[in-house]
Amino acid sequence: MSVEEITASGTENVATAADELLADLMFRPWGQVSPSVYETGRLVTLVPWLAGHQERIDYLIASQREDGSWGAPDGYGLVPTLSATEAILSALRGNDDGMDHPSLKQAADRGLRVLAGWLDGGQELPDMPAIEHIVPSLVALINRHLDGLGEHVPLVLPEGMSYDTLELVRSWIQSGADVPEKLLHALEIAGPAASGASAVQPTAIGTIGASPAATAAWLGDRGARDGHNPARGHLEAVARRHGGPVPVGLPITVFERGWVLSWLIRADVPVDVPPEMTADLRAAIGPAGTPAGPGLPADADSTSVALYALALLGMPLEPDSLWAFHSGTHFSTWLGEQGSSVSVNAHVLDAFGQYVVCRPDAASRYAGTIAELAAWIRDRQEPDGSWADRWHASPYYAAVSCALALDEFGGAASAGAVRAAVDWVLDTQRPDGSWGRWEGTAEETAYAMQILLLTQWRTDPRCVKAAARGHAYLKRSPGGNQDHPPLWHDKDLYTPVAVVRAAVIASSHLAQRD
């Protein structure tokens, strides 16, 4: 059901859309994720023998921007542009007679020109997972291609990056030492050392690190010779599902289900949740928490959102597993995280707060931590009332996470922060009724509407009017995944399609209800 269909026919249609979405989650349990330029480029280079090779090259050529880049503005284009350019150079060197060599060379030249300008110009880069390893690994591969061409000068590394840490990682993997789970998601940075690495084994479904690129790097040329290898079977399944191109992370089962249920139930959307889904969600949470999906390490974000969703459903689990991520006054996304995330801590606040709602006798155990978390989140609010986060490109995602958690569980001390967030949303609405960082999007509009309609200022006439304009924008949005440009952080930006659709359904329901 399209965005336009969801918003057009009232609350009954919204409920139908929600039920269809949940049924689809059960039908496609690995998750619904947009294709990734970065990940697709790595498969072009690493496994050119895998079915869908030409479709992957066609996808890269078709998604190149007019200026020669791939990806989003503000530094987000560097990693996908490096990956796509290197993949096209690799395809050219493969000298396959079936390739359109002039088109490939033109795309590669355009990519190289834009990369040279970015890297020479000291472009500021976003906080993306493993970017400090991915960029040097791709620059080195491209420069190796350029050595044989003689038409371009070698690319330089961004200021502050070096090959030293990358070489340490590669030596570590080559030694056979245990590999931290979070590193498995970007195993492809290890180059030849990744192929058949003795300390790395696929999960039961054949994935390495929930990443097609990491899986391809570990599989190497063995996959071309062994048609029964589980890793090859996994890659074939993912490529077939997406028509050749592949997403940056899959499976994302727990992540997807936790977020979808949270968006819908928090907005009081009437849904019939499959009992198998809640049983699976409960079973996924162990003493160390839960990962977003098989092949990934447990993280505080997936754990807290799953716990919050279960509590909303009236099936609260003691959130003891979250203490493993406690880092003084806040919670880390995973153990040993460098940096911090306001959205993760807002979700932990949701999990603790909703558990106490369900189990009032637990209030004394969590009251101090809830107050500390709320203060930590308030302290990181921007002067304009927004928040910024390391897991999403849009401030509206960070703001909806923080504002809703503070409004519900942050106490009277958080009222001013929530009011500032509401004012920021009102001040940043676009003339067409939408909200968005680079352009108006259905996803970001949905988040802004939730801030207006789920906080204590929901009856303010300005909030009601702005939300109505946002809903009118959603009604005009055509259907299809192309409405949801990638905004979520991984190795490059991606869209968790079902999660975003749930946010739009929830916001449409709130607007029609109010």
Side-chain angles (χ1 to χ4, degrees), residues 101-126:
H101 286 261
S103 294
L104 288 175
K105 187 169 188 315
Q106 182 184 46
D109 287 342
R110 294 172 64 215
L112 288 167
R113 281 195 295 271
V114 75
L115 285 170
W118 285 348
L119 293 171
D120 287 340
Q123 186 183 48
E124 186 175 348
L125 300 178

Side-chain angles (χ1 to χ4, degrees), residues 352-360 408-409:
F352 285 157
Q354 193 61 36
Y355 182 75
V356 169
V357 170
C358 295
R359 297 281 189 270
E408 196 163 0
F409 305 115

Side-chain angles (χ1 to χ4, degrees), residues 226-253:
D226 181 4
H228 301 288
N229 191 296
R232 171 172 174 163
H234 177 76
L235 286 177
E236 288 176 339
V238 175
R240 188 165 56 249
R241 167 66 74 179
H242 294 84
V246 293
V248 68
L250 206 74
I252 56 164
T253 309

